[in-house]
């Protein structure tokens, strides 16, 4: 645990605010509020790992802070349905399944499917709408509509004896949104007149001047992509970006192409969005993946997961020539209709390079206007500060540079610098009599999750902190890529497994064949061979030993 100055005992009538994730990263968003012995939580999301997190599938917020206070939690409020805001909810509910969860209809539908995949059968989900006010314990929650890159997003005002907080969640101020649902600036102004003691505000685009571009403004660039595509067309997007998929759907109809979803999360989320009326799918437009062979390449649009370069997502598998159905080559087009989340640059460019190497024309935000952000830029944030006039500001959701930039915007509108709290995960803020101040820190370290996930088949997971239960497997192989042969290994070593290393002789044999076959099939970089290693060993261990250890593959090239 880091060296921490623990906060003092919470005084009666004081509202304590503890960011447990999301301050310093674009992900794992979670904030705990406490007053008079009761805890309320806003959001509970995951952070996706970077290249320097080998063997890690997900990173969770600081749930350990709540482990001894579970019975004190009166509500979990979700602002919207993106993974970085709801992805860690199953892990919290595994600690206490009857925590009441509040969110919009679409948000809870996405969450419900996720909970079932985690085999959580009993849970309490309560749908709320903008304009609704709920009294829960020591808290009063008011929900306000905000515009974001996913439908049904909400901001939440939290009224307590310690003061009133407004948490924007992720938002922007698109005045011409695709679904006609704009951010409730009248509600923001009304709250400002009432008095906002602490404003927690989205920082992601605080460095970007002006106003965020309208969603509809990308349609001309998307139109050009569809017109120029003469072969196979793949569009990669976030699996929860309903607005973007609607645009693709409409463009496909206009150009006489069928639409097929690829990637389990894409299939699940878009089916949910369609069932609830958020996604309009014209008759006879959508086909199953198994039907794709009935159509020419220029008659189909493939809507895929993997826009962030996730190694096991559909687009990465396509770029690695590892997808069982879809391949790309000369004359094909791939459109990455998504932003580039900080930290994912290497993964995304690796996929772009792989697709380009295969002959595909890759269109992305770097070479065409095919995506706009879902977050408010500096001009929108200044507008909000001026209509709300908060007494204190706590920038949230962003890397350190985003938080600092957002804090500077707040001071430019006249908020005193000492009332702008640019803090990090685990820092504790107490609010009383209109004054917010940092009073200490708690441990908000990463919690790593690793799993034996294979392609899109399974989301079974495990916490890296229980290695003693599931174990650890390292695999070291030295390969000569030029001559396509294994020079040394593979050597498999284990820790935390009852089995001795020699038990893995069969796995080493299978891995030798898998790596040799991959190199003969044109796989020519260590990263892709590491994925082959992880998948092959993971499958063998799951079947032969019925275990799901963390697998760390190391491939050294000569």
């Amino acid at each position: 645990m880091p060296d921490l100055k623990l906060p003092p005992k919470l005084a009666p009538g004081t509202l304590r605010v503890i960011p447990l994730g999301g301050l310093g990263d674009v992900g794992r968003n979670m904030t705990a509020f406490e007053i008079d012995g009761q805890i309320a939580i806003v959001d509970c999301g995951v952070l996706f790992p970077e290249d320097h997190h080998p063997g890690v599938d997900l990173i969770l917020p600081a749930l350990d802070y709540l482990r001894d206070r579970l019975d004190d939690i009166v509500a979990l409020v979700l602002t919207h349905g993106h993974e970085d805001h709801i992805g860690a909810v199953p892990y919290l509910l595994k600690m206490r399944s009857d925590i009441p969860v509040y969110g919009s209809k679409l948000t809870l539908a996405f969450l419900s499917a996720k909970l079932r995949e985690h085999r959580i059968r009993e849970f309490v989900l309560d749908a709320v709408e903008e304009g609704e006010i709920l009294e829960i314990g020591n808290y009063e929650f008011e929900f306000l509509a905000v515009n974001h890159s996913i439908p049904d997003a909400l901001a939440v005002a939290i009224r307590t004896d310690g003061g009133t907080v407004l948490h924007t969640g992720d938002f922007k101020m698109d005045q011409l949104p695709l679904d006609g649902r704009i951010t409730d600036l009248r509600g923001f102004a009304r709250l400002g007149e009432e008095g906002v003691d602490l404003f927690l505000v989205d920082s992601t685009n605080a460095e970007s001047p002006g106003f965020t571009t309208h969603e509809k403004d990308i349609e001309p660039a998307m139109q050009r992509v569809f017109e120029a595509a003469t072969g196979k067309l793949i569009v990669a997007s976030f699996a929860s970006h309903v607005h973007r998929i609607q645009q693709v759907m409409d463009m496909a109809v206009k150009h006489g192409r069928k639409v097929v979803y690829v990637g389990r999360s894409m299939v699940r989320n878009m089916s949910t969005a369609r069932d609830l009326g958020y996604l309009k799918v014209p008759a006879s437009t959508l086909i199953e993946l198994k039907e794709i062979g009935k159509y020419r390449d220029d008659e189909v649009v493939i809507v895929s997961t993997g826009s962030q370069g996730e190694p096991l997502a559909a687009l990465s598998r396509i770029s690695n020539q590892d997808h069982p159905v879809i391949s790309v080559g000369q004359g094909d087009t791939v459109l990455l209709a998504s932003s580039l989340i900080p930290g994912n640059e290497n993964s995304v460019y690796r996929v772009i390079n792989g697709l380009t190497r295969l002959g595909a024309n890759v269109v992305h935000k770097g070479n065409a206007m095919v995506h706009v952000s879902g977050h408010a830029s500096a001009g929108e944030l200044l507008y909000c500060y001026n209509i709300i006039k908060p007494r204190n500001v706590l920038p949230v959701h962003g890397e350190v540079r985003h938080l600092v930039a957002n804090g500077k915007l707040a001071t430019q509108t006249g908020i005193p610098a000492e009332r702008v709290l640019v803090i990090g995960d685990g820092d504790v803020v107490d609010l009383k009599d209109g004054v917010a101040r940092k009073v200490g820190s708690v441990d908000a370290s990463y919690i790593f999750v690793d799993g034996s996930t294979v392609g899109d088949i399974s989301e079974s997971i495990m916490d890296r902190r229980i290695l003693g239960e599931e174990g650890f497997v390292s695999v070291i192989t030295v390969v000569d890529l030029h001559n396509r042969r294994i020079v040394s290994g593979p050597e498999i070593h284990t820790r935390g497994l009852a089995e001795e290393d020699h038990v893995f002789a069969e796995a080493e044999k299978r891995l030798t064949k898998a790596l040799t076959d991959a190199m003969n099939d044109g796989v020519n970089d260590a990263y892709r061979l590491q994925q082959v290693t992880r998948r092959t060993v993971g499958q063998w261990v799951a079947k032969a030993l019925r275990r799901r250890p963390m697998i760390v593959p190391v491939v050294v090239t000569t």
Side-chain angles (χ1 to χ4, degrees):
M1 179 183 292
D3 185 20
L4 303 173
K5 178 187 175 184
L6 295 177
K9 182 179 179 180
L10 183 57
T14 298
L15 179 64
R16 177 158 288 177
V17 183
I18 312 105
L20 300 177
L23 275 62
D25 296 303
V26 180
R28 72 176 202 137
N29 297 284
M30 184 176 188
T31 306
F33 299 85
E34 180 181 356
I35 187 167
D36 296 333
Q38 294 185 351
I39 295 174
I41 301 167
V42 174
D43 289 331
C44 186
V46 297
L47 173 68
F48 292 101
E50 300 179 28
D51 286 349
H52 61 272
H53 297 128
V56 175
D57 286 341
L58 298 172
I59 301 172
L60 305 182
L63 300 180
D64 282 353
Y65 173 78
L66 301 168
R67 194 170 297 277
D68 297 328
R69 302 288 309 277
L70 294 173
D71 291 338
D72 297 332
I73 301 173
V74 297
L76 167 60
V77 174
L78 303 176
T79 59
H80 64 283
H82 279 150
E83 284 291 302
D84 59 335
H85 292 257
I86 70 169
V89 175
Y91 302 90
L92 178 60
L93 295 190
K94 286 177 182 178
M95 296 162 67
R96 180 190 150 197
S97 64
D98 64 343
I99 295 173
V101 183
Y102 301 88
S104 65
K105 183 169 64 173
L106 182 65
T107 300
L108 295 186
F110 283 175
L111 175 62
S112 180
K114 183 178 295 295
L115 295 177
R116 287 194 297 271
E117 289 186 353
H118 281 259
R119 296 184 175 86
I120 299 174
R121 305 301 182 191
E122 297 182 8
F123 43 82
V124 181
L125 305 184
D126 290 306
V128 296
E129 297 180 352
E130 58 259 31
E132 190 169 346
I133 297 176
L134 293 178
E135 291 188 12
I136 304 170
N138 297 329
Y139 300 87
E140 180 182 274
F141 300 98
E142 180 179 353
F143 300 94
L144 302 95
V146 291
N147 178 244
H148 187 40
S149 57
I150 186 173
D152 247 8
L154 297 167
V156 57
I158 307 172
R159 297 182 181 89
T160 73
D161 289 344
T164 297
V165 176
L166 176 58
H167 193 313
T168 66
D170 290 359
F171 85 111
K172 60 179 176 177
M173 291 163 50
D174 192 334
Q175 298 302 295
L176 300 170
L178 297 176
D179 60 0
R181 185 175 180 271
I182 64 173
T183 293
D184 186 3
L185 297 177
R186 294 177 65 185
F188 279 18
R190 173 178 52 79
L191 286 166
E193 292 294 324
E194 177 185 318
V196 172
D197 296 296
L198 182 61
F199 188 30
L200 277 68
V201 56
D202 179 7
S203 306
T204 313
N205 270 5
E207 291 184 312
S208 302
F211 281 61
T212 300
T213 306
H214 301 308
E215 292 278 350
K216 72 177 187 65
D217 289 348
I218 74 167
E219 291 179 2
M222 189 177 289
Q223 170 79 10
R224 289 191 291 272
V225 171
F226 271 77
E227 289 175 346
T230 57
K232 199 172 296 177
L233 175 57
I234 300 174
V235 179
S237 176
F238 294 115
S240 54
H241 201 333
V242 180
H243 294 324
R244 188 70 70 248
I245 305 308
Q246 185 70 71
Q247 289 175 302
V248 174
M249 191 77 64
D250 295 342
M251 201 69 68
V253 172
K254 182 176 180 180
H255 289 82
R257 289 182 181 248
K258 302 292 185 182
V259 175
V260 57
Y261 300 140
V262 178
R264 183 180 41 76
S265 57
M266 183 69 72
V267 174
R268 179 192 66 204
N269 287 352
M270 292 308 112
S271 296
T272 299
R274 180 183 185 179
D275 292 344
L276 296 177
Y278 294 94
L279 181 68
K280 309 300 181 184
V281 181
S284 303
T285 299
L286 196 63
I287 64 171
E288 299 284 342
L289 181 58
K290 63 184 178 183
E291 301 177 90
I292 196 170
K294 300 177 183 178
Y295 299 89
R296 299 193 312 268
D297 286 349
D298 62 354
E299 294 180 323
V300 177
V301 177
I302 299 164
V303 179
S304 168
T305 57
S307 63
Q308 295 304 302
E310 304 96 313
L312 297 177
L315 192 64
S316 290
R317 298 184 65 190
I318 293 168
S319 72
N320 292 338
Q321 299 179 287
D322 188 34
H323 196 278
V325 179
I326 298 170
S327 60
V328 297
Q330 293 291 336
D332 295 334
T333 301
V334 179
L335 167 61
L336 272 67
S338 62
S339 61
L340 183 57
I341 294 177
N344 291 346
E345 293 88 350
N346 290 340
S347 298
V348 172
Y349 290 133
R350 185 182 296 115
V351 170
I352 291 174
N353 286 328
L355 295 167
T356 304
R357 188 181 298 113
L358 294 172
N361 174 37
V362 184
V363 182
H364 53 89
K365 190 179 180 182
N367 58 26
M369 199 180 111
V370 291
H371 180 75
V372 296
S373 175
H375 302 271
S377 295
E380 293 153 275
L381 296 175
L382 290 170
Y383 189 95
C384 288
Y385 287 131
N386 283 326
I387 64 171
I388 296 171
K389 298 187 181 302
R391 296 185 177 92
N392 303 272
V393 172
L394 199 170
V396 296
H397 194 287
E399 296 181 339
V400 173
R401 59 192 174 94
H402 304 131
L403 305 178
V404 170
N406 200 355
K408 289 179 179 178
L409 294 175
T411 58
Q412 288 173 19
T413 65
I415 299 171
E418 64 271 17
R419 296 293 186 93
V420 179
L421 305 173
V422 179
I423 61 175
D425 292 338
D427 288 339
V428 178
V429 172
D430 281 358
L431 175 65
K432 179 71 173 178
D433 297 328
V435 178
R437 60 190 182 91
K438 178 181 172 181
V439 296
S441 300
V442 299
D443 183 20
S445 303
Y446 285 177
I447 297 176
F448 295 106
V449 173
D450 169 71
S452 56
T453 309
V454 180
D456 286 325
I457 296 173
S458 170
E459 279 190 351
S460 56
I461 47 82
M462 73 172 212
D463 189 328
R464 215 182 196 184
R465 295 188 177 187
I466 57 171
L467 283 179
E469 178 181 331
E470 292 289 349
F472 174 96
V473 178
S474 65
V475 188
I476 303 173
T477 313
V478 181
V479 299
D480 179 352
L481 290 177
H482 180 72
N483 293 308
R484 301 179 180 178
R485 67 188 183 90
I486 295 175
V487 177
S488 176
E491 295 181 4
I492 297 180
H493 301 281
T494 68
R495 178 181 175 186
L497 291 173
E499 294 78 11
E500 300 294 334
D501 290 351
H502 66 80
V503 174
F504 286 81
E506 175 62 25
E508 291 176 350
K509 180 179 177 181
R510 293 190 183 192
L511 179 56
T512 298
K513 182 178 186 304
L515 291 173
T516 303
D517 289 347
M519 288 187 285
N520 288 334
D521 287 341
V523 176
N524 59 359
D525 66 81
Y527 175 82
R528 291 161 67 189
L529 292 176
Q530 286 172 354
Q531 297 308 309
V532 172
T533 300
R534 188 167 183 229
R535 184 167 57 250
T536 303
V537 174
Q539 288 174 335
W540 184 88
V541 173
K543 184 176 180 179
L545 305 179
R546 299 188 181 278
R547 301 287 292 275
R548 296 187 177 107
M550 183 175 71
I551 299 171
V552 178
V554 178
V555 175
V556 179
T557 61
T558 62

